[in-house]
Amino acid sequence: MKKVLTYGTFDLLHWGHINLLKRAKDLGDYLIVAISTDEFNEIKNKKAYHSYENRKMILEAIRYVDEVIPEEHWEQKVDDVKNNNVDIFVMGDDWEGKFDFLKDHCEVVYLPRTAGISTTKIKKELLVSNG
Ligand code: C2G
């Protein structure tokens, strides 16, 4: 069984996220998503609209996602890959090259981001349209 692992905040879930999760799952048989905790989002300078628990529940409802684990700090990826017997690490290519150190432990794949959508864009456009 080929296991795939990816990380993210996945706030205000949108079709760009789904495109990523679908392509990640298509690379193997089992997809684990490490979702950023609210505390880790502070370290990433991100303020998610939905809480960790609710973002986790939403991700677990997606057909492409087999397991959701917490992402609590930058340094956990090697352990996550080892402890979960991960074969392929996947991220959107806005992270191109940033996780190449994982190549010692698994395959590393950066997938093209989906253009035209982002959580930031959604927030901005809602702000403008609702004045
Ligand atoms: N993504 C995408 N296309 C978009 C938006 C997002 O392919 N239009 C991808 C991102 O590249 C990422 C995943 O969807 O692989 C989740 O996006 P975010 O929730 O913004 O993740 P991020 O905050 O970049 O967290 O340790 C890694 C970090 O936790 C990544």
Coordinates of all heavy atoms in Angstrom, one line a residue, residues 6-11 14-21 23 33-36 40-41 44 46 55 71 73-74 76-77 89-95 99 111-120, ligand 1:
T6 N 0.6 14.9 3.2 CA 0.6 16.3 2.8 C 0.3 17.1 4.1 O -0.3 16.6 5.0 CB -0.3 16.7 1.6 OG1 0.0 18.0 1.2 CG2 -1.8 16.5 2.0
Y7 N 0.6 18.4 4.0 CA 0.4 19.3 5.2 C -0.4 20.6 4.7 O -0.3 21.0 3.6 CB 1.7 19.8 5.8 CG 2.5 18.7 6.4 CD1 3.2 17.7 5.7 CD2 2.6 18.6 7.8 CE1 3.9 16.7 6.3 CE2 3.3 17.5 8.4 CZ 3.9 16.6 7.6 OH 4.6 15.6 8.2
G8 N -1.1 21.2 5.7 CA -1.7 22.5 5.3 C -2.7 22.9 6.4 O -3.0 22.2 7.3
T9 N -3.2 24.2 6.2 CA -4.2 24.7 7.1 C -5.6 24.4 6.7 O -6.5 24.1 7.4 CB -4.0 26.3 7.2 OG1 -2.7 26.6 7.7 CG2 -5.0 26.9 8.0
F10 N -5.8 24.4 5.4 CA -7.1 24.0 4.7 C -8.2 24.8 5.4 O -9.3 24.2 5.8 CB -7.3 22.5 4.8 CG -6.3 21.7 4.0 CD1 -5.2 21.1 4.6 CD2 -6.4 21.6 2.6 CE1 -4.3 20.4 3.9 CE2 -5.5 20.9 1.9 CZ -4.4 20.3 2.5
D11 N -8.1 26.1 5.5 CA -9.1 26.9 6.0 C -10.1 27.4 4.9 O -9.6 27.5 3.7 CB -8.5 28.2 6.7 CG -9.5 29.0 7.5 OD1 -10.5 28.3 8.1 OD2 -9.4 30.2 7.6
H14 N -11.7 25.1 -0.3 CA -12.1 25.5 -1.6 C -11.6 24.5 -2.7 O -10.8 23.6 -2.3 CB -11.6 26.9 -1.9 CG -10.2 27.1 -1.8 ND1 -9.2 26.5 -2.6 CD2 -9.5 27.9 -0.9 CE1 -8.0 26.9 -2.2 NE2 -8.1 27.7 -1.2
W15 N -11.9 24.7 -3.9 CA -11.6 23.8 -5.0 C -10.1 23.6 -5.3 O -9.7 22.6 -5.8 CB -12.4 24.1 -6.2 CG -12.5 25.5 -6.6 CD1 -13.3 26.5 -6.1 CD2 -11.7 26.2 -7.6 NE1 -13.0 27.7 -6.7 CE2 -12.1 27.5 -7.7 CE3 -10.7 25.7 -8.5 CZ2 -11.5 28.4 -8.5 CZ3 -10.2 26.6 -9.4 CH2 -10.6 28.0 -9.4
G16 N -9.4 24.6 -4.9 CA -7.9 24.5 -5.0 C -7.4 23.5 -4.1 O -6.5 22.6 -4.4
H17 N -7.9 23.5 -2.8 CA -7.5 22.5 -1.9 C -7.9 21.1 -2.4 O -7.2 20.1 -2.3 CB -8.2 22.7 -0.5 CG -7.8 23.9 0.2 ND1 -8.7 24.8 0.8 CD2 -6.6 24.5 0.4 CE1 -8.1 25.8 1.3 NE2 -6.8 25.6 1.2
I18 N -9.2 21.0 -2.9 CA -9.7 19.7 -3.3 C -8.8 19.1 -4.5 O -8.5 17.9 -4.5 CB -11.2 19.8 -3.7 CG1 -12.0 20.2 -2.5 CG2 -11.7 18.4 -4.3 CD1 -12.0 19.3 -1.3
N19 N -8.5 20.0 -5.4 CA -7.6 19.6 -6.5 C -6.3 19.0 -6.0 O -5.8 18.0 -6.5 CB -7.2 20.9 -7.4 CG -8.2 21.1 -8.5 OD1 -9.0 20.2 -8.9 ND2 -8.2 22.3 -9.1
L20 N -5.7 19.7 -5.0 CA -4.5 19.2 -4.4 C -4.7 17.8 -3.7 O -3.9 16.9 -4.0 CB -4.0 20.2 -3.4 CG -2.6 20.1 -2.7 CD1 -2.6 19.0 -1.6 CD2 -1.5 19.9 -3.7
L21 N -5.7 17.7 -3.0 CA -6.0 16.4 -2.2 C -6.3 15.3 -3.2 O -5.8 14.2 -3.0 CB -7.1 16.6 -1.2 CG -6.8 17.6 -0.1 CD1 -8.1 17.9 0.7 CD2 -5.8 17.1 0.8
R23 N -5.2 15.0 -6.4 CA -4.0 14.6 -7.1 C -3.0 13.9 -6.1 O -2.4 12.9 -6.5 CB -3.3 15.9 -7.7 CG -4.0 16.4 -9.0 CD -3.4 17.7 -9.4 NE -3.6 18.7 -8.5 CZ -2.9 19.9 -8.4 NH1 -1.9 20.1 -9.3 NH2 -3.1 20.8 -7.5
V33 N -3.4 13.6 5.9 CA -3.2 15.0 5.8 C -2.9 15.5 7.3 O -3.6 15.2 8.2 CB -4.5 15.7 5.4 CG1 -4.3 17.2 5.4 CG2 -5.0 15.2 4.0
A34 N -1.8 16.2 7.4 CA -1.4 16.8 8.6 C -1.9 18.2 8.6 O -1.4 19.0 7.8 CB 0.2 16.8 8.8
I35 N -2.9 18.5 9.4 CA -3.5 19.8 9.4 C -3.0 20.7 10.5 O -2.9 20.2 11.7 CB -5.1 19.6 9.5 CG1 -5.8 21.0 9.3 CG2 -5.5 18.9 10.7 CD1 -7.3 20.8 9.1
S36 N -2.7 21.9 10.2 CA -2.1 22.8 11.1 C -3.0 23.1 12.3 O -4.1 23.5 12.1 CB -1.7 24.1 10.5 OG -1.0 23.9 9.3
F40 N -0.1 26.2 15.8 CA 0.9 26.3 14.8 C 0.6 27.3 13.7 O 1.5 28.0 13.2 CB 1.1 24.9 14.1 CG 2.1 24.8 13.0 CD1 3.5 25.1 13.4 CD2 1.8 24.5 11.7 CE1 4.5 25.1 12.4 CE2 2.8 24.5 10.8 CZ 4.1 24.8 11.1
N41 N -0.7 27.6 13.5 CA -1.0 28.6 12.6 C -0.5 30.0 13.1 O -0.1 30.8 12.3 CB -2.5 28.7 12.4 CG -3.0 27.8 11.3 OD1 -2.3 27.5 10.3 ND2 -4.2 27.3 11.4
K44 N 2.8 30.2 11.9 CA 2.9 30.5 10.5 C 2.3 31.9 10.2 O 2.1 32.2 9.0 CB 2.0 29.4 9.7 CG 2.6 28.1 9.7 CD 2.0 27.2 8.6 CE 0.5 27.0 8.7 NZ 0.0 26.0 7.7
K46 N -0.7 32.7 10.4 CA -2.0 32.6 9.7 C -3.1 32.5 10.8 O -2.9 31.9 11.8 CB -2.0 31.2 9.0 CG -1.6 31.3 7.6 CD -2.0 30.0 6.8 CE -1.9 30.2 5.3 NZ -2.4 29.1 4.5
R55 N -11.8 22.3 11.1 CA -11.1 22.1 9.9 C -10.8 20.6 9.8 O -10.8 20.0 8.7 CB -9.8 22.9 9.9 CG -10.1 24.4 9.6 CD -8.8 25.2 9.6 NE -8.2 25.4 10.9 CZ -7.0 24.9 11.3 NH1 -6.3 24.2 10.4 NH2 -6.5 25.1 12.5
E71 N -0.6 19.0 12.7 CA 0.7 19.6 12.4 C 0.9 20.6 13.5 O 0.2 21.6 13.5 CB 0.8 20.2 11.0 CG 2.1 20.9 10.8 CD 2.2 21.6 9.5 OE1 1.2 22.1 9.0 OE2 3.3 21.7 8.9
H73 N 4.4 21.6 14.6 CA 5.6 22.4 14.5 C 6.3 22.1 13.2 O 6.0 21.0 12.5 CB 6.5 22.2 15.7 CG 6.7 20.8 16.1 ND1 7.5 19.9 15.4 CD2 6.2 20.1 17.1 CE1 7.5 18.8 16.0 NE2 6.7 18.8 17.0
W74 N 7.3 22.9 12.8 CA 8.0 22.7 11.5 C 8.8 21.4 11.5 O 9.1 20.8 10.5 CB 8.9 23.9 11.2 CG 8.2 25.2 10.9 CD1 8.2 26.3 11.6 CD2 7.4 25.4 9.7 NE1 7.4 27.3 10.9 CE2 6.9 26.7 9.8 CE3 7.0 24.7 8.6 CZ2 6.1 27.3 8.8 CZ3 6.2 25.2 7.6 CH2 5.8 26.6 7.7
Q76 N 8.4 18.4 12.6 CA 7.8 17.0 12.7 C 7.8 16.2 11.5 O 7.4 15.0 11.5 CB 6.4 17.1 13.3 CG 5.4 17.7 12.4 CD 4.0 17.8 13.0 OE1 3.9 18.7 13.8 NE2 3.1 16.9 12.7
K77 N 8.1 16.7 10.3 CA 7.9 16.0 9.1 C 8.7 14.7 8.9 O 8.1 13.7 8.5 CB 8.1 16.9 7.9 CG 7.1 18.1 7.7 CD 7.3 18.9 6.5 CE 6.2 19.9 6.3 NZ 6.2 21.0 7.4
F89 N 5.7 12.3 -0.2 CA 5.3 13.6 0.5 C 4.9 14.5 -0.7 O 5.6 14.7 -1.7 CB 6.6 14.2 1.2 CG 6.4 15.6 1.7 CD1 5.7 15.9 2.8 CD2 6.9 16.6 0.9 CE1 5.6 17.2 3.2 CE2 6.7 18.0 1.2 CZ 6.1 18.2 2.4
V90 N 3.8 15.2 -0.5 CA 3.2 16.1 -1.5 C 2.9 17.4 -1.0 O 2.4 17.6 0.1 CB 1.9 15.5 -2.1 CG1 1.3 16.4 -3.1 CG2 2.2 14.1 -2.7
M91 N 3.3 18.5 -1.7 CA 2.9 19.9 -1.4 C 2.6 20.6 -2.7 O 3.1 20.2 -3.7 CB 4.0 20.6 -0.6 CG 4.1 20.2 0.9 SD 2.6 20.4 1.8 CE 2.4 22.2 1.8
G92 N 1.9 21.7 -2.6 CA 1.7 22.6 -3.7 C 3.0 23.3 -4.0 O 3.9 23.4 -3.1
D93 N 3.2 23.7 -5.3 CA 4.6 24.1 -5.7 C 4.9 25.5 -5.2 O 6.0 26.1 -5.5 CB 4.8 24.0 -7.2 CG 3.8 24.9 -8.0 OD1 3.0 25.6 -7.4 OD2 3.8 24.8 -9.2
D94 N 4.0 26.2 -4.4 CA 4.4 27.4 -3.7 C 5.5 27.0 -2.7 O 6.2 27.9 -2.2 CB 3.3 28.1 -3.1 CG 2.3 27.2 -2.3 OD1 2.0 26.1 -2.8 OD2 1.9 27.6 -1.2
W95 N 5.6 25.8 -2.4 CA 6.6 25.3 -1.4 C 7.8 24.6 -2.2 O 8.6 23.9 -1.5 CB 6.0 24.3 -0.5 CG 5.0 24.9 0.5 CD1 3.7 25.1 0.3 CD2 5.3 25.6 1.7 NE1 3.1 25.8 1.3 CE2 4.1 26.1 2.2 CE3 6.5 25.8 2.4 CZ2 4.1 26.8 3.4 CZ3 6.5 26.5 3.6 CH2 5.2 27.0 4.1
F99 N 11.1 21.4 1.0 CA 11.1 20.2 1.8 C 11.9 19.1 1.2 O 11.7 17.9 1.4 CB 9.6 19.7 2.0 CG 8.7 20.8 2.7 CD1 7.7 21.4 2.0 CD2 9.0 21.2 4.0 CE1 6.9 22.3 2.6 CE2 8.2 22.1 4.6 CZ 7.2 22.7 3.9
L111 N 3.2 19.8 -6.4 CA 2.1 19.8 -7.5 C 1.8 21.3 -7.8 O 1.7 22.1 -6.9 CB 0.9 19.1 -7.0 CG 1.0 17.6 -6.8 CD1 -0.2 17.1 -6.1 CD2 1.3 16.9 -8.1
P112 N 1.5 21.6 -9.1 CA 1.2 23.0 -9.4 C -0.1 23.4 -8.6 O -1.0 22.7 -8.5 CB 0.8 22.9 -10.9 CG 1.4 21.6 -11.4 CD 1.5 20.7 -10.2
R113 N 0.1 24.6 -8.1 CA -1.1 25.2 -7.4 C -2.2 25.5 -8.4 O -2.0 25.7 -9.5 CB -0.7 26.6 -6.8 CG -0.2 26.5 -5.4 CD 0.2 27.9 -4.9 NE -0.9 28.7 -4.6 CZ -1.4 28.8 -3.3 NH1 -0.8 28.1 -2.4 NH2 -2.4 29.6 -3.0
T114 N -3.5 25.4 -7.9 CA -4.6 25.8 -8.7 C -4.7 27.3 -8.8 O -4.9 27.9 -7.7 CB -5.9 25.2 -8.1 OG1 -5.7 23.8 -8.0 CG2 -7.1 25.5 -8.9
A115 N -4.6 27.9 -9.9 CA -4.7 29.3 -10.1 C -6.1 29.8 -9.9 O -7.1 29.1 -10.1 CB -4.2 29.7 -11.5
G116 N -6.2 31.1 -9.4 CA -7.5 31.8 -9.4 C -8.3 31.6 -8.1 O -9.4 32.1 -8.0
I117 N -7.7 30.9 -7.1 CA -8.5 30.7 -5.9 C -7.5 30.6 -4.7 O -6.4 30.0 -4.9 CB -9.4 29.4 -5.9 CG1 -10.2 29.3 -4.7 CG2 -8.5 28.2 -6.1 CD1 -11.3 30.3 -4.5
S118 N -7.9 31.2 -3.6 CA -7.1 31.0 -2.4 C -8.0 31.5 -1.2 O -8.9 32.2 -1.4 CB -5.8 31.9 -2.4 OG -6.2 33.3 -2.3
T119 N -7.6 31.1 0.0 CA -8.4 31.5 1.2 C -8.3 33.0 1.3 O -9.3 33.7 1.6 CB -7.9 30.8 2.4 OG1 -7.9 29.3 2.2 CG2 -8.7 31.1 3.6
T120 N -7.1 33.6 1.1 CA -6.9 35.0 1.2 C -7.8 35.8 0.2 O -8.5 36.7 0.5 CB -5.4 35.4 0.9 OG1 -4.6 34.5 1.7 CG2 -5.2 36.8 1.1
Ligands
C2G1 N1 -3.1 24.9 -2.6 C1 -3.2 24.7 -4.0 N2 -3.9 25.6 -4.8 C2 -4.5 26.7 -4.2 C3 -4.4 26.8 -2.8 C4 -3.7 25.9 -2.0 O1 -2.7 23.7 -4.6 N3 -5.1 27.6 -5.0 C5 -2.4 23.9 -1.9 C6 -1.2 24.4 -1.2 O2 -0.1 24.5 -2.1 C7 -0.9 23.4 0.0 C8 -2.4 23.0 0.3 O3 -3.2 23.4 -0.8 O4 -0.2 22.3 -0.5 C9 -2.9 23.6 1.5 O5 -2.9 25.0 1.4 P1 -2.8 25.9 2.8 O6 -3.8 25.5 3.7 O7 -2.6 27.3 2.4 O8 -1.4 25.4 3.3 P2 -0.2 26.2 4.0 O9 -0.7 27.3 4.9 O10 0.7 26.6 2.8 O11 0.5 25.1 4.9 O12 4.1 22.6 6.7 C10 3.4 23.1 5.6 C11 2.4 24.1 5.9 O13 1.5 23.6 6.9 C12 1.6 24.3 4.6

